[in-house]
């Protein structure tokens, strides 16, 4: 039962993060490498606030979102003018810079040791030490966010970014301010990523930089790819599928040094297979160079 | 600011730059011919070093047999990679190839850490601790060999692509594929040949890196941004520019790490961020690179 609760919480957190990625990658067609950096920022801001300043959970969540928005704005302004694969390279460099700052700013983030002892949220003087209580808390938060996202995916507003993904010049000709539309979706993506990161920090009560590396980016990208980019329900189903599936690897008796790499091979393999068989429809064809 | 360590810094950057240059030259060949960023390039470097480690240290073959086995395995590896991971995506969006090489990099790194373990390995037996003092700086014979061999490899590659008739066909193919084909170039065999050459260069630079530092599965991931930065500094797809760019990058890195500015010195951990900052600045302000030459042109 404890294990099932844990799985459900992880699924809810990852569904939020993956939907955030889906906003930019699925709807907008931009492969934003800095997504994992937003998750890391959310987790670290919440963790630092609640360990060093004894802040309440809502202050932690709110500040995490605010900081992630503030960081996402310059990243967006720097990288949006790059097109195609240069965007990927630019956001890759920026996200690596952010993770490097997290590892090396030892006074604040405690470096590679990570931050331990993050208190669980306390609602009406009940501390959510029980995992089932925490599951309810996460469920309510994620349900509201997902409802908002569902409305967003169906709204005419999403049609604007979809049109910009298909053919940017036509979209501009129709009077769509592509820069602003992308900016809003980029910030929203950062909001949900940092929210997921903050919940992640409160749940595990311990975070370290190794939770926000390239492998996690691959995992989120795999979720998005399996659920066909730009699809709300596909993304949710893929999260469910991909969090539960590698749990069976745990029951195979393997030495502990093999299990981690095997999981990574598993996700990268799934991503490659999806990419191979859907290569004609995965991203619209545009060749710049 | 102390200038006593300056010759040593230049020497160190010469060594690091040689290693980057061999790796980045391969990347430039791949970019100019295929038009995508190979995110598995660092992992190819790492794999080359591990192949060398496998044949030379674990199996214990002598140097000639090691070289033959190494060449064979790298070429077979690169051909398989090109067939499965790159050519199916060539006609589609360039980001697809980028993502597939990202997958490839993760798969290679995980496989290596399963088979060889995550522990640090060294090329034992090649270690030569005594260093020669020239004027006021120190250099080991191994480092002299690294600089010498990298100059040979870079020179051979640059001569081949810039001055041979074979290389001119490459240039034609890189510039405009259909026109190159209409000249009677067999496109596919050229692709295979160029990709194998590029991966071979990466693997050789990985061996040099293994001699200079240590072997670790994560060293590939750490060196991917450096190779990118070296290529972007010289201008994408510009071979000579890439070589100059890698020495330049190594020089900046060593200056950032080593210079002591009136008692305030930057931490060594900032050394890796130089490459990332270079990537961002070059992409934003000078996408053509430091040298005046248009892209996709060897």
């Amino acid at each position: 039962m404890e294990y099932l609760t844990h799985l459900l919480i992880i699924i809810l957190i990852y569904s939020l993060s993956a939907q955030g990625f889906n906003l930019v990658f699925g709807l907008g067609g931009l492969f934003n490498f800095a997504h994992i950096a937003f998750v890391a920022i959310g987790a670290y801001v919440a963790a630092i606030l609640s360990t060093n300043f004894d802040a309440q959970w809502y202050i932690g969540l709110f500040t995490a979102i605010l900081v992630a928005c503030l960081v996402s704005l310059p990243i967006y302004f720097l990288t949006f003018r790059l097109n195609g694969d240069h965007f990927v390279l630019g956001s890759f460099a920026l996200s690596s810079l952010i993770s490097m700052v997290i590892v090396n700013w030892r006074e604040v983030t405690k470096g590679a040791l990570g931050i331990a002892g993050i208190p669980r949220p306390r609602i009406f003087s009940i501390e959510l030490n029980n995992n089932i209580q925490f599951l309810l808390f996460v469920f309510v938060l994620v349900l509201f966010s997902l409802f908002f996202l569902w409305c967003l995916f169906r709204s005419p507003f999403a049609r604007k970014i979809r049109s910009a993904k298909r053919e940017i010049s036509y979209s501009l000709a129709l009077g769509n301010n592509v820069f602003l539309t992308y900016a809003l979706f980029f910030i929203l993506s950062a909001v949900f990523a940092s929210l997921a990161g903050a919940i992640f920090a409160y749940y595990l009560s311990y975070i370290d930089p190794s939770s926000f590396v390239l492998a996690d980016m691959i995992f989120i990208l795999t979720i998005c790819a399996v659920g066909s980019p730009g699809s709300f329900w596909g993304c949710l189903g893929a999260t469910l599928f991909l969090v539960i599936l590698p749990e069976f690897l745990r029951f195979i008796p393997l030495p502990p040094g093999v299990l981690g790499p095997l999981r990574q091979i598993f996700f990268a393999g799934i991503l490659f297979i999806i990419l191979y068989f859907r290569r004609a429809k995965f991203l619209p064809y545009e060749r710049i160079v | 600011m102390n200038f006593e360590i300056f010759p040593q810094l230049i020497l160190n950057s010469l060594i690091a730059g040689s290693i980057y240059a061999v790796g980045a030259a391969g990347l430039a060949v791949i970019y100019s011919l295929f038009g995508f960023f190979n995110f598995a390039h660092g992992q190819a470097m790492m794999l080359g070093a591990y192949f060398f480690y496998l044949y030379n240290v674990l199996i214990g073959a002598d140097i000639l047999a090691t070289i033959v086995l190494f060449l064979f395995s790298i070429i077979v590896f690169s051909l398989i990679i090109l067939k499965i991971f790159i050519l199916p995506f060539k006609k589609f969006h360039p980001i697809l190839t980028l993502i597939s090489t990202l997958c490839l990099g993760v798969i290679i790194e995980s496989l290596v850490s399963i088979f060889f373990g995550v522990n640090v390995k060294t090329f034992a037996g090649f270690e030569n601790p005594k260093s020669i003092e020239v004027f006021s700086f120190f250099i080991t014979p191994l480092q002299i060999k690294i600089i010498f061999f990298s100059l040979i490899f870079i020179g051979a590659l640059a001569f081949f692509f810039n001055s041979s008739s074979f290389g001119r066909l490459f240039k034609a193919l890189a510039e405009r594929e259909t026109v190159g084909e209409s000249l009677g170039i067999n496109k596919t065999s050229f692709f295979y040949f160029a990709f194998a050459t590029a991966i071979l260069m990466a693997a050789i630079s990985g061996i040099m890196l293994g001699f200079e530092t240590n072997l670790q599965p994560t060293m590939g991931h750490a060196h991917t941004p450096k190779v990118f930065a070296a290529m972007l500094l010289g201008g994408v797809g510009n071979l000579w520019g890439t070589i100059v760019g890698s020495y330049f990058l190594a020089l900046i890195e060593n200056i950032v790490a080593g210079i002591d500015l009136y008692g305030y010195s930057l931490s060594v951990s900032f050394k890796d961020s130089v490459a990332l900052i270079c990537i961002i600045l070059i992409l934003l302000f000078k996408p053509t690179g430091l040298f005046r030459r248009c892209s996709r042109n060897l």
Side-chain angles (χ1 to χ4, degrees):
Chain A
M1 195 61 208
E2 192 72 4
Y3 180 61
L4 200 68
T5 328
H6 166 77
L7 269 187
L8 279 174
I9 292 175
I10 291 291
I11 288 170
L12 287 174
I13 292 172
Y14 270 114
S15 70
L16 204 56
S17 174
Q19 289 289 10
F21 186 67
N22 201 5
L23 278 180
V24 171
F25 180 69
L27 291 180
L30 288 181
F31 179 19
N32 175 21
F33 238 111
H35 187 80
I36 200 70
F38 297 146
V39 179
I41 287 170
Y44 267 94
V45 169
I48 290 162
L49 277 179
S50 46
T51 50
N52 290 1
F53 301 100
D54 295 325
Q56 290 289 328
W57 62 274
Y58 46 87
I59 298 176
L61 285 187
F62 186 72
T63 323
I65 290 171
L66 203 69
V67 172
C69 285
L70 287 180
V71 175
S72 79
L73 271 178
I75 289 182
Y76 176 74
F77 284 121
L78 287 181
T79 51
F80 186 68
R81 64 174 78 180
L82 310 171
N83 47 19
D85 40 2
H86 285 209
F87 176 87
V88 184
L89 199 55
S91 58
F92 168 73
L94 282 169
S95 92
S96 306
L97 263 184
I98 291 174
S99 59
M100 204 162 275
V101 166
I102 286 174
V103 173
N104 288 321
W105 199 5
R106 290 200 183 81
E107 295 81 32
V108 176
T109 62
K110 300 207 177 78
L113 288 175
I115 299 176
I118 304 159
R120 284 282 175 90
R122 175 192 290 274
I123 300 171
F124 303 129
S125 73
I126 308 167
E127 199 166 316
L128 306 174
N129 280 325
N130 193 344
N131 265 4
I132 294 183
Q133 288 169 336
F134 196 82
L135 175 65
L136 269 174
F137 166 73
V138 176
F139 186 71
V140 172
L141 266 180
V142 172
L143 199 68
F144 272 112
S145 320
L146 286 184
F147 179 70
F148 174 77
L149 278 166
W150 183 67
C151 295
L152 188 71
F153 270 73
R154 287 163 56 87
S155 66
F157 195 57
R159 219 172 294 145
K160 277 172 105 173
I161 195 167
R162 280 203 186 99
S163 74
K165 176 193 176 183
R166 287 298 285 269
E167 187 59 63
I168 198 160
S169 46
Y170 294 170
S171 183
L172 279 168
L174 285 171
N176 178 9
N177 191 340
V178 172
F179 185 79
L180 265 184
T181 316
Y182 268 105
L184 261 160
F185 273 88
F186 202 84
I187 291 167
L188 276 177
S189 146
V191 165
F192 290 111
S194 56
L195 187 61
I199 297 173
F200 185 76
Y202 282 126
Y203 173 58
L204 287 187
S205 71
Y206 167 74
I207 49 168
D208 66 339
S210 71
S211 315
F212 312 104
V213 289
L214 184 75
D216 299 75
M217 192 66 235
I218 296 270
F219 180 49
I220 291 171
L221 183 62
T222 313
I223 291 176
C224 215
V226 168
S228 97
S231 146
F232 178 79
W233 294 109
C235 191
L236 276 189
T239 319
L240 198 69
F241 177 66
L242 282 177
V243 173
I244 292 175
L245 199 62
E247 293 297 321
F248 293 115
L249 286 178
R250 273 182 213 276
F251 299 115
I252 308 169
L254 285 171
V258 173
L259 195 64
L262 207 63
R263 269 174 69 97
Q264 293 189 17
I265 292 178
F266 183 73
F267 289 130
I270 288 182
L271 178 56
F272 176 71
I273 289 166
I274 296 285
L275 214 63
Y276 188 87
F277 286 109
R278 288 182 54 84
R279 58 185 186 269
K281 292 176 188 161
F282 200 77
L283 285 169
Y285 176 70
E286 56 160 338
R287 186 96 198 191
I288 298 146
V289 263
Chain B
M1 205 160 160
N2 54 346
F3 286 98
E4 292 93 72
I5 56 165
F6 211 74
Q8 187 70 47
L9 278 184
I10 288 179
L11 188 78
N12 286 351
S13 57
L14 203 65
I15 295 159
S18 311
I19 296 171
Y20 296 164
V22 179
L27 193 66
V29 170
I30 291 178
Y31 189 83
S32 56
L33 208 54
F34 296 90
F36 73 95
F37 290 112
N38 182 13
F39 262 79
H41 208 74
Q43 275 84 358
M45 288 163 70
M46 184 261 295
L47 193 71
Y50 268 93
F51 269 135
F52 197 81
Y53 174 77
L54 172 70
Y55 295 137
N56 202 322
V57 180
L58 289 188
I59 293 180
D62 61 338
I63 191 74
L64 201 70
T66 307
I67 290 172
V68 171
L69 281 171
F70 168 79
L71 281 177
F72 176 73
S73 43
I74 286 296
I75 288 170
V76 168
F77 164 78
S78 64
L79 297 186
I80 293 171
I81 292 309
L82 184 66
K83 178 76 184 157
I84 298 175
F85 282 86
I86 288 152
L87 281 186
F89 302 100
K90 188 152 190 318
K91 277 191 294 188
F92 301 99
H93 201 286
I95 290 180
L96 289 185
T97 328
L98 200 151
I99 297 175
S100 86
T101 52
L102 204 63
C103 295
L104 172 69
V106 171
I107 290 173
I108 292 174
E109 196 173 318
S110 309
L111 282 179
V112 165
S113 54
I114 285 176
F115 284 119
F116 294 93
V118 289
N119 301 331
V120 176
K121 305 274 196 300
T122 48
F123 289 127
F126 277 94
E127 272 178 316
N128 200 346
K130 65 171 187 293
S131 54
I132 309 160
E133 188 175 353
V134 187
F135 300 120
S136 64
F137 47 84
F138 295 92
I139 185 165
T140 61
L142 200 63
Q143 289 170 334
I144 297 176
K145 274 181 204 160
I146 286 176
I147 295 176
F148 177 70
F149 275 111
S150 77
L151 282 179
I152 286 181
F153 285 123
I154 294 165
L157 193 75
F159 176 78
F160 178 74
F161 278 108
N162 280 321
S163 310
S164 72
S165 64
F166 212 48
R168 270 194 289 280
L169 297 182
F170 268 107
K171 273 187 186 173
L173 209 56
E175 199 140 338
R176 185 85 43 199
E177 223 171 274
T178 43
V179 178
E181 266 187 298
S182 72
L183 287 174
I185 304 171
N186 184 355
K187 193 174 75 173
T188 322
S189 63
F190 266 72
F191 280 164
Y192 278 108
F193 182 79
F195 195 76
T197 314
I199 293 295
L200 196 63
M201 294 298 274
I204 288 168
S205 110
I207 295 175
M208 289 171 181
L209 197 67
F211 277 120
E212 175 64 18
T213 58
N214 291 316
L215 290 176
Q216 231 177 335
T218 50
M219 78 187 200
H221 179 61
H223 278 268
T224 307
K226 298 189 180 177
V227 186
F228 280 146
M231 187 182 78
L232 288 169
L233 270 171
V236 276
N238 180 350
L239 200 55
W240 286 114
T242 301
I243 291 159
V244 178
S246 13
Y247 285 105
F248 190 62
L249 175 76
L251 188 67
I252 306 174
E253 272 187 342
N254 276 295
I255 284 175
V256 163
I259 281 288
D260 186 10
L261 208 61
Y262 301 112
Y264 182 81
S265 66
L266 283 167
S267 153
V268 181
S269 51
F270 282 100
K271 196 175 167 183
D272 292 338
S273 62
V274 171
L276 301 170
I277 293 171
C278 274
I279 290 178
I280 296 163
L281 291 182
I282 288 286
L283 281 181
L284 284 177
F285 298 113
K286 205 143 178 12
T288 51
L290 296 179
F291 304 102
R292 197 172 59 83
R293 192 102 175 260
C294 51
S295 61
R296 295 211 73 192
N297 193 352
L298 266 173

